Amino acid sequence: MSPALRVLCARYPHLALVAAWSNHPELRHEPVVVGGAAELRLPVLAASAAAQAAGVRPGQPLREVQQRCPAAAFVAADETAIARLRET
């Protein structure tokens, strides 16, 4: 009899969100939206669990998210930090 095959599936947040937490550890348990300032015409790249609980989803316009989750911290994606995380 051969040993059973075991598969581990680990889910981790979007790298842009991890980078935002690295740069702003005080936001770790807050609703965080990665994409830029709310007044920009950009989509949400990533959202923390607290923001998702308020109905925020990747791809939504930031302006819509500001109305849906006014307590959210809006953070621009830090491409340098994201690249550093990809290398690790």
Side-chain angles (χ1 to χ4, degrees):
M1 184 178 269
S2 63
L5 175 66
R6 294 184 187 194
V7 177
L8 172 67
C9 178
R11 183 181 182 277
Y12 61 92
H14 193 281
L15 283 179
L17 185 57
V18 174
W21 285 332
S22 295
N23 293 337
H24 306 282
E26 71 278 7
L27 298 177
R28 190 83 167 128
H29 301 288
E30 302 298 324
V32 177
V33 176
V34 179
E39 63 271 3
L40 298 176
R41 291 179 165 247
L42 296 172
V44 172
L45 296 177
S48 67
Q52 289 179 17
V56 177
R57 300 287 179 257
Q60 285 180 317
L62 292 171
R63 288 183 182 184
E64 178 184 325
V65 170
Q66 185 179 29
Q67 294 171 357
R68 187 178 297 267
C69 188
F74 290 83
V75 180
D78 183 344
E79 296 300 330
T80 304
I82 293 169
R84 233 182 358 253
L85 287 169
R86 280 193 184 114
E87 292 173 1
T88 59

